Amino acid sequence: MKKPENLNDTSLEALSRIYRLYDDYINSFSLACTKYCADCCTTALTLTSLEGMMIYKSLDPATRKAVFEKLLACSDMNRFRPAMTTNQYARLCSEHREPPEENYPEKPDKCPFLENEACSIYPVRPFGCRCMISEQPCRRTGSASMDDFALTVNTMFLQVIEHLDQEGFSGNLIDVMLRIGAEQDKTSADCPTVANHPITVLMIPPEHQRKVSPLLSTLNHIIKQAGR
Ligand code: SF4
Ligand code: SF4
């Protein structure tokens, strides 16, 4: 497995381009999401190691230690720890195999990067945060409302980001960041993560295939330029 410190700038540049592509795409939507609306900022968030590395590199070295001390203090937090990745799930479904059961916490805690109801790492927030969107305020409806096509697009981006980081790993935000921090410090941390996988099949329903193709071809171009 590729260690996070060996992830090269090409992968990180490709990830930035994927984020920009998605953010531009989502800008055309009429969404209820606004600054300080942060009910979705919880410890249910997962990400890839490449995304974690982007966060790690964005931290000011002078304050990085304090950030990791805070993450360490969150080690006991109630959180979602995925049993598999999106590409694993897609493969199991395509093979008509039963995916392992996931355990979602009933009441996840607040994300450790949330400060005064705003994200302290907003420019480098992972895709799992970018794609948490809703047409109606979640506080009013109780959950995010998204149409099926938006869900298809989100899943496609998740699959491509994992493919880009296929030698890396995924997991809960706290676990991924603590593992990256430990690897950078050449120490170890007991942080359960799952190995990433390349794409074997994309989960795009037939009725969305034509509509999704311009975005997909741009994503293909980006990951090919990154050597994937
Ligand atoms: S997904 Fe829901 S809670 Fe999150 S910013 Fe949008 S409206 Fe607010
Ligand atoms: S990283 Fe930022 S945007 Fe994502 S859940 Fe945490 S506070 Fe919210």
Side-chain angles (χ1 to χ4, degrees):
M1 185 178 289
K2 189 192 283 181
K3 294 245 176 88
E5 66 262 32
N6 296 332
L7 287 169
N8 57 39
D9 290 344
T10 310
S11 298
L12 288 169
E13 173 55 29
L15 180 62
S16 292
R17 290 176 68 193
I18 291 171
Y19 282 169
R20 280 200 298 275
L21 178 68
Y22 184 81
D23 293 346
D24 289 346
Y25 163 75
I26 226 67
N27 268 342
S28 62
F29 283 53
S30 172
L31 297 173
C33 307
T34 54
K35 197 172 180 185
Y36 306 120
C37 181
D39 288 2
C40 56
C41 291
T42 71
T43 52
L45 175 68
T46 64
L47 75 168
T48 60
S49 48
L50 183 64
E51 296 176 283
M53 198 59 188
M54 184 179 276
I55 297 170
Y56 182 88
K57 287 193 167 199
S58 78
L59 297 172
D60 181 344
T63 55
R64 192 182 277 156
K65 192 163 173 266
V67 171
F68 275 88
E69 278 170 3
K70 182 175 180 188
L71 286 167
L72 206 54
C74 295
S75 293
D76 293 335
M77 268 186 167
N78 194 21
R79 59 191 184 270
F80 171 56
R81 286 176 150 160
M84 71 195 143
T85 65
T86 312
N87 285 338
Q88 263 181 297
Y89 179 81
R91 182 172 188 164
L92 288 176
C93 291
S94 73
E95 294 169 350
H96 306 290
R97 289 160 62 199
E98 198 63 39
E101 206 171 305
E102 295 283 14
N103 288 312
Y104 294 94
E106 258 182 46
K107 280 190 104 186
D109 287 310
K110 287 199 170 190
C111 174
F113 284 113
L114 192 63
E115 287 175 9
N116 302 319
E117 295 304 295
C119 178
S120 58
I121 53 162
Y122 192 78
V124 291
R125 70 201 186 286
F127 184 75
C129 312
R130 290 165 201 266
C131 75
M132 181 50 79
I133 51 173
S134 182
E135 290 162 351
Q136 303 292 331
C138 298
R139 198 162 284 188
R140 193 193 305 153
T141 56
S143 62
S145 46
M146 261 185 271
D147 70 18
D148 286 349
F149 184 71
L151 285 174
T152 295
V153 168
N154 289 353
T155 306
M156 178 177 75
F157 272 79
L158 284 169
Q159 288 198 251
V160 169
I161 290 169
E162 182 185 342
H163 183 87
L164 178 65
D165 188 27
Q166 56 191 263
E167 291 90 1
F169 54 88
S170 291
N172 181 275
L173 174 74
I174 296 169
D175 296 315
V176 168
M177 292 312 299
L178 286 178
R179 178 169 167 184
I180 288 174
E183 289 182 356
Q184 293 296 305
D185 291 345
K186 312 238 179 306
T187 58
S188 63
D190 182 20
C191 305
T193 52
V194 282
N196 286 343
H197 291 261
I199 293 171
T200 51
V201 58
L202 279 167
M203 291 191 284
I204 303 173
E207 66 272 22
H208 293 159
Q209 276 172 3
R210 185 194 287 239
K211 198 172 165 189
V212 94
S213 71
L215 273 177
L216 183 55
S217 80
T218 307
L219 285 170
N220 272 332
H221 182 67
I222 294 171
I223 60 173
K224 280 211 175 92
Q225 282 195 327
R228 294 299 189 186

